Amino acid sequence: MMRILPRMILATAALGCFVLLPEAAMAQQERSYDYWQHQREMIKRGQQAVFMCNGLFTSKRTIEQVYERELAFFPDPIGTPEGGDYHVAWDEQGVEVGAAGQVPTMRSQIPWPDGDLVEDKALPAEIDAAALQRASDWAFDRPTPEQSTISLLVVYRGDIIHERYADGFDMTTRTRTWSTAKSIAATLIGMLVDEGRLELDGPLGFEWLPETSSPETDPRNAITLRHALNMSTGLQSIDNNRMEYATGSGMSYWAGDSSVEDARERGLIREPGTRWDYENYDTLLAVYAMKRALGGEREYAEFPRKALLDKIGMRNTLVSTDRFGDFVLSSQVYTNARD
């Protein structure tokens, strides 16, 4: 005897299971789960962050006014004027809004070096903990006129195994790199050389100052990018003999002058490549060549971050410019120990 079953409906569950449901039961099924709740929460936090940022830094309102006016229509704004799960970066003019216990900030979820998550691990067996501590104490307990340690990071096989800061400093504190910035400049320029957009042994490719009626005959045209990076341009020395803060790079570092113009306004006193001479402006000549190779102002302004800093996790790093918008990549970069 053959029995005809009610028509069955094949349903696919989220986890890949297949369930047969009687057709009559379909009317009882309701889509009660909000599949977009996480999207809604993310957008809500982003909207509040934008409103707070615009209110504080575009409209120049107080945090109390922002909550009273800009966030008035929010049904349940995060935090209060007194504080909450948000962070206002006053120096960088930005706002980050999270959700306590639910949506931690992205950097705290991503392992170092791309983020700030550092797992609490036991020291590897081959590391002498006592010797490591003695080395750390030596770094911090020997202040001299030449050295005062404010942060120490020890990395072993890709893991941070020791991290220490002086009083008043922490993992978020940015400090000036001074001439370590030159390594960042050389890396960025090397990337353009690798792409064929700059030529290491080719001329720098710009006009020198002061302007002359026949710039094509200027002997400084023989200076190459390699000469500038090696600080062997042969140009007049202006940073040495205690003149850095009188006629040298201090003019653009601290006195508001143009780093690009000052770097190009030096006379040739010896054949390029014959003598090494530590000059901040030689590095800035190479940085100006980088700017010209990049073309537009926007590409130039975004290049350090897009090409290098973001890719290797240096998202706390700020590359300063002179007041004319040119990078002072010979010195004026601010970063923290983890970057």
Side-chain angles (χ1 to χ4, degrees):
M1 175 175 167
M2 183 174 68
R3 190 165 52 131
I4 300 176
L5 297 175
R7 184 177 170 207
M8 310 295 281
I9 305 297
L10 181 66
T12 304
L15 296 180
C17 302
F18 296 92
V19 182
L20 291 172
L21 298 174
E23 187 174 29
M26 294 300 292
Q28 301 173 8
Q29 306 299 312
E30 294 182 1
R31 188 179 180 183
S32 59
Y33 180 75
D34 184 1
Y35 289 93
W36 303 106
Q37 61 175 317
H38 301 297
Q39 294 287 97
R40 298 181 201 280
E41 290 298 317
M42 177 179 67
I43 291 173
K44 174 186 175 182
R45 284 158 179 75
Q47 185 179 20
Q48 179 170 336
V50 172
F51 273 55
M52 291 178 70
C53 189
N54 288 155
L56 292 171
F57 303 115
T58 304
S59 301
K60 306 297 183 184
R61 301 173 71 81
T62 66
I63 190 71
E64 289 79 13
Q65 291 172 325
V66 168
Y67 269 88
E68 181 183 357
R69 299 293 183 182
E70 275 79 356
L71 301 181
F73 75 95
F74 271 58
D76 187 23
I78 293 173
T80 68
E82 287 70 40
D85 194 30
Y86 64 84
H87 172 67
V88 179
W90 296 100
D91 291 339
E92 296 82 10
Q93 297 193 349
V95 176
E96 182 181 35
V97 177
Q102 299 178 22
V103 188
T105 59
M106 183 176 294
R107 287 193 59 84
S108 65
Q109 292 178 306
I110 302 173
W112 182 86
D114 288 323
D116 286 326
L117 177 63
V118 176
E119 295 183 21
D120 188 11
K121 298 179 180 179
L123 279 177
E126 63 270 28
I127 299 295
D128 185 331
L132 180 61
Q133 188 60 50
R134 286 196 300 271
S136 177
D137 293 340
W138 174 85
F140 280 88
D141 296 342
R142 52 184 289 271
T144 70
E146 292 77 27
Q147 175 186 336
S148 179
T149 302
I150 60 172
S151 58
L152 175 64
L153 207 69
V154 181
V155 179
Y156 179 72
R157 294 185 175 179
D159 290 328
I160 297 175
I161 63 169
H162 185 79
E163 186 171 16
R164 181 175 173 181
Y165 297 93
D167 291 341
F169 297 85
D170 59 29
M171 57 173 278
T172 67
T173 306
R174 296 187 183 103
T175 53
R176 186 185 286 106
T177 65
W178 294 103
S179 287
T180 307
K182 294 179 173 71
S183 296
I184 298 175
T187 302
L188 291 167
I189 291 165
M191 295 171 76
L192 293 180
V193 171
D194 191 52
E195 294 173 8
R197 301 174 71 177
L198 279 173
E199 185 179 350
L200 197 57
D201 292 308
L204 290 171
F206 48 70
E207 293 185 0
W208 299 90
L209 298 176
E211 297 178 357
T212 63
S213 57
S214 55
E216 67 279 359
T217 64
D218 195 314
R220 294 174 290 183
N221 292 335
I223 299 172
T224 67
L225 181 60
R226 187 189 299 272
H227 292 145
L229 291 172
N230 287 345
M231 295 185 180
S232 61
T233 61
L235 294 171
Q236 178 185 5
S237 174
I238 58 173
D239 265 353
N240 297 312
N241 300 320
R242 301 176 64 183
M243 296 301 288
E244 179 180 353
Y245 289 84
T247 64
S249 54
M251 291 296 293
S252 61
Y253 282 13
W254 323 115
D257 210 348
S258 166
S259 60
V260 167
E261 292 196 8
D262 283 357
R264 291 186 293 154
E265 201 164 19
R266 293 182 290 153
L268 193 69
I269 61 174
R270 59 179 61 89
E271 182 182 351
T274 60
R275 185 174 183 271
W276 177 81
D277 186 17
Y278 194 94
E279 285 286 339
N280 293 315
Y281 276 153
D282 278 8
T283 298
L284 292 177
L285 287 175
V287 173
Y288 184 50
M290 178 185 82
K291 178 181 183 178
R292 291 174 59 86
L294 289 168
E297 291 285 343
R298 179 167 182 171
E299 185 176 8
Y300 170 67
E302 295 177 345
F303 182 64
R305 181 154 303 285
K306 285 187 173 182
L308 177 64
L309 302 180
D310 279 352
K311 290 184 177 181
I312 61 176
M314 291 183 67
R315 297 183 180 89
N316 290 305
T317 301
L318 299 176
V319 182
S320 297
T321 68
D322 63 18
R323 68 186 180 95
F324 301 97
D326 290 299
F327 289 125
V328 188
L329 266 166
S330 54
S331 175
Q332 307 300 311
V333 172
Y334 293 81
T335 190
N336 61 353
R338 288 192 173 189
D339 277 16

